[in-house]
Amino acid sequence: MGWGVFAFLHVRFGSVASVWEQAWSGSGEAAAMGRTILWELRALRVVLASAAGAGLAVSGLLLQTWFHNPLAGPSVLGISSGATLGVAMAILGGTASFALFGALIGSGVVLAVLWMVSRRFQSPVTLLVFGMMLGYVVGALVNVLQVEASKEALQAFVFWGMGSFSRAQGGWAFGVVAATLLGVGWAWFRAKSLDAWTLGPLTASSMGVSEGAIRTGVVLVTGAIASVVTAACGPIAFVGVATPHLVRMAQRGRTHRALLPNVVAAGATLALLADGLVRLSGGSWPLNAVLSILAGPVIVYVLLKKTWTP
Amino acid sequence: MNLTLSGLVCGYGRRPVGPVGNRIWSDAGLHALIGANGAGKSTLIRTLAGLQPPLAGTVHLGAHDVHRMRPAERAQLVSFVASTPPSASGLTAGEVLQLMDASDAERNRALEQFGEAGWWSVRLSELSDGQRQRVMLARAFLQNTPWLLLDEPTAFLDAASRTRLFGHLNELAARGKGIVITTHDLHLLHGQPALRSVNALGVQWLELPTEASISDWESVL
């Protein structure tokens, strides 16, 4: 419901004030222009923000279940860092059109590393330190790339890094929708296995859950979502790790079928709310700054809470 | 369905920690694995359950090699309860039992038998270790497999629940199930009607007479 309100506000209001009235009541060129702004700019942006938020939130849920770890999420695990490195190489190397390709490869490499060492992340701290270190390494590599880059490429990269849902045209919105639908569909299909996985790998395996199938699915799904979203919107902070916790605070059901619809709705709503604040500021506030302010306290709350259950 | 061990070597990496050997356990009965801490009981029972690859040799359930089956097929033949119950799951006892193919009436009955009916809507994370373990026992029971492998099922249980559990195990054995348990609870084990073999793990793997005294069992540990 919150999502509906935000989505309406997004389409209804914007920097061109009278668009709404023109599009519905007017005729001729002004009405056509109004409709273009409503649908191709505002509505498409709503689609991109919602799908990205929902997709990252589902990734967060899957990673938290897989790692038995409350701090797992696409940004914390360094998957976004990997995608960032790929995009940096594309943009700073002067081949911005390869950004998606770069993001896919970058996040794929990080996921492959995570895949190999995943069994060692029993404690949240190990995971956090791993993600932080990976972030530093990527930051350092990006710094090196920046020195060599042209001024225009550098500027493009810095803007990209702040995160934004403004680049919704040219199929990006639909690419993100596709990746998110894939993730939601897979998680729904595998919901019982994921529930069993919360009982521990040994028990789940004895119940007939194939560890390999779950691991492959989680890696492919979160990799696809993280790379497409990162290529389209920049490295989006905290939505993935925080949203599942917001949902767990609000509801009692912990089965994946009970969590999924609300995680999707909450992720979409959180992303739209943050984008709404960005647009209220006239587009001058960086999306990631807004998201960090909104979601950061949730992470701190989870860390301070004594018990955690996936 | 026999549980057959052929030239089995258990362990991690290249380091064998468990026993080496051949055994055939016929079904319909309780087989106990006893041994000091670190003797390799858990390693062996996980290997028997197909959850850990052996370093050498094979484990067969009937004609099926447990390490060459798909997890879903294996789950039809053998169920397993780990020594430590899951502490971090937010699922309720009812939600755990709903993961099993059974009717709600059967699930409720299993929870009453092994635990308490009132736990249905309580989260695992809100139960004690012993209570969680009893939910996991009810879950394994609902899997309704010819063999049940239980790794120290009595470790977290209170005295009354231990007696009750052995009552259920005798009943299951009488209905034709094969059961393997690891345990330190020799007093409780002694004299159980379903007991078919007592296997002491250590430097050597010895099968002890089931009717021997507890001090005889203890002397080889």
Side-chain angles (χ1 to χ4, degrees):
Chain A
M1 210 192 69
W3 179 84
V5 173
F6 287 132
F8 172 74
L9 290 175
H10 265 267
V11 179
R12 174 67 183 82
F13 299 104
S15 53
V16 187
S18 55
V19 165
W20 180 262
E21 292 78 8
Q22 278 171 4
W24 295 114
S25 55
S27 57
E29 222 168 277
M33 168 81 102
R35 279 194 282 270
T36 305
I37 292 180
L38 276 194
W39 298 121
E40 287 182 22
L41 291 177
R42 294 186 192 169
L44 219 49
R45 181 168 177 154
V46 169
V47 170
L48 175 65
S50 306
L56 291 172
V58 170
S59 298
L61 175 67
L62 291 175
L63 290 167
Q64 285 167 16
T65 297
W66 170 254
F67 286 105
H68 294 281
N69 194 317
L71 290 175
S75 53
V76 180
L77 284 170
I79 301 169
S80 301
S81 300
T84 299
L85 181 61
V87 172
M89 287 166 82
I91 294 183
L92 298 177
T95 50
S97 49
F98 288 111
L100 175 62
F101 193 60
L104 281 171
I105 292 187
S107 58
V109 168
V110 172
L111 276 162
V113 174
L114 282 171
W115 188 340
M116 289 184 281
V117 296
S118 59
R119 277 171 166 274
R120 300 185 184 195
F121 288 141
Q122 298 299 327
S123 104
V125 179
T126 323
L127 186 72
L128 200 63
V129 171
F130 179 84
M132 271 171 54
M133 287 304 141
L134 206 68
Y136 284 136
V137 172
V138 166
L141 290 171
V142 169
N143 274 342
V144 173
L145 283 170
Q146 281 174 337
V147 175
E148 304 295 330
S150 74
K151 205 178 158 199
E152 294 75 26
L154 192 59
Q155 204 175 28
F157 180 73
V158 169
F159 275 121
W160 175 85
M162 290 175 182
S164 168
F165 294 129
S166 62
R167 212 153 59 96
Q169 295 100 331
W172 283 111
F174 298 108
V176 174
V177 168
T180 298
L181 283 179
L182 170 81
V184 174
W186 182 83
W188 187 265
F189 175 64
R190 289 283 185 189
K192 274 201 152 190
S193 299
L194 293 166
D195 288 342
W197 193 256
T198 68
L199 302 175
L202 279 182
T203 302
S205 177
S206 80
M207 291 165 72
V209 174
S210 157
E211 182 178 347
I214 296 288
R215 174 158 50 180
T216 307
V218 169
V219 165
L220 288 181
V221 159
T222 55
I225 291 174
S227 46
V228 176
V229 169
T230 307
C233 315
I236 301 296
F238 290 126
V239 178
V241 59
T243 308
H245 293 296
L246 288 169
V247 173
R248 287 191 197 101
M249 280 181 223
Q251 73 173 51
R252 192 163 163 81
R254 288 288 192 279
T255 61
H256 283 77
R257 291 245 164 125
L259 286 169
L260 258 178
N262 292 329
V263 165
V264 167
T269 308
L270 180 61
L272 266 193
L273 170 65
D275 192 39
L277 293 174
V278 170
R279 287 186 56 199
L280 273 180
S281 76
S284 54
W285 294 355
L287 176 64
N288 274 330
V290 175
L291 277 171
S292 303
I293 292 164
L294 285 177
V298 177
I299 317 287
V300 176
Y301 172 81
V302 170
L303 270 176
L304 292 179
K305 228 173 72 161
K306 281 198 199 91
T307 55
W308 175 82
T309 57
Chain B
M1 184 178 282
N2 289 346
L3 181 59
T4 311
L5 289 56
S6 316
L8 188 65
V9 184
C10 311
Y12 293 91
R14 262 176 245 135
R15 202 163 48 95
V17 294
V20 182
N22 302 302
R23 279 271 188 297
I24 297 178
W25 288 330
S26 62
D27 50 3
L30 178 61
H31 303 272
L33 303 173
I34 63 175
N37 294 135
K41 298 187 297 297
S42 287
T43 309
L44 173 60
I45 200 165
R46 280 181 206 162
T47 310
L48 297 182
L51 302 173
Q52 180 177 327
L55 298 185
T58 57
V59 178
H60 280 82
L61 279 166
H64 307 276
D65 183 334
V66 297
H67 296 103
R68 287 173 182 271
M69 297 168 82
R70 293 163 167 277
E73 293 167 347
R74 199 181 57 218
Q76 307 284 321
L77 299 181
V78 55
S79 51
F80 175 78
V81 174
S83 56
T84 313
S87 57
S89 179
L91 299 181
T92 64
E95 284 166 346
V96 171
L97 301 185
Q98 278 171 340
L99 294 171
M100 312 311 296
D101 282 324
S103 70
D104 263 346
E106 288 169 324
R107 293 176 185 133
N108 273 306
R109 206 172 329 124
L111 188 58
E112 266 171 50
Q113 275 182 354
F114 289 88
E116 284 167 28
W119 298 347
W120 184 267
S121 48
V122 182
R123 281 195 188 132
L124 288 189
S125 55
E126 294 160 352
L127 293 169
S128 77
D129 279 330
Q131 291 171 327
R132 274 177 215 144
Q133 191 64 309
R134 288 159 69 186
V135 174
M136 299 316 283
L137 288 164
R139 186 210 65 70
F141 166 76
L142 281 176
Q143 206 167 327
N144 196 20
T145 49
W147 280 87
L148 276 97
L149 273 48
L150 314 175
D151 193 1
E152 292 199 41
T154 56
F156 292 99
L157 303 193
D158 56 42
S161 307
R162 289 177 188 204
T163 313
R164 224 167 112 197
L165 174 65
F166 271 96
H168 291 311
L169 296 183
N170 284 319
E171 222 171 275
L172 286 168
R175 281 175 18 208
K177 305 274 185 194
I179 303 159
V180 180
I181 67 167
T182 66
T183 187
H184 295 289
D185 229 334
L186 302 184
H187 287 270
L188 203 51
L189 193 63
H190 197 253
Q192 293 293 343
L195 190 60
R196 293 288 171 274
S197 76
V198 178
N199 305 271
L201 275 63
V203 183
Q204 274 186 307
W205 190 9
L206 300 169
E207 188 166 335
L208 308 175
T210 53
E211 64 279 2
S213 71
I214 293 170
S215 53
D216 285 339
W217 288 351
E218 278 171 343
S219 64
V220 295
L221 295 184

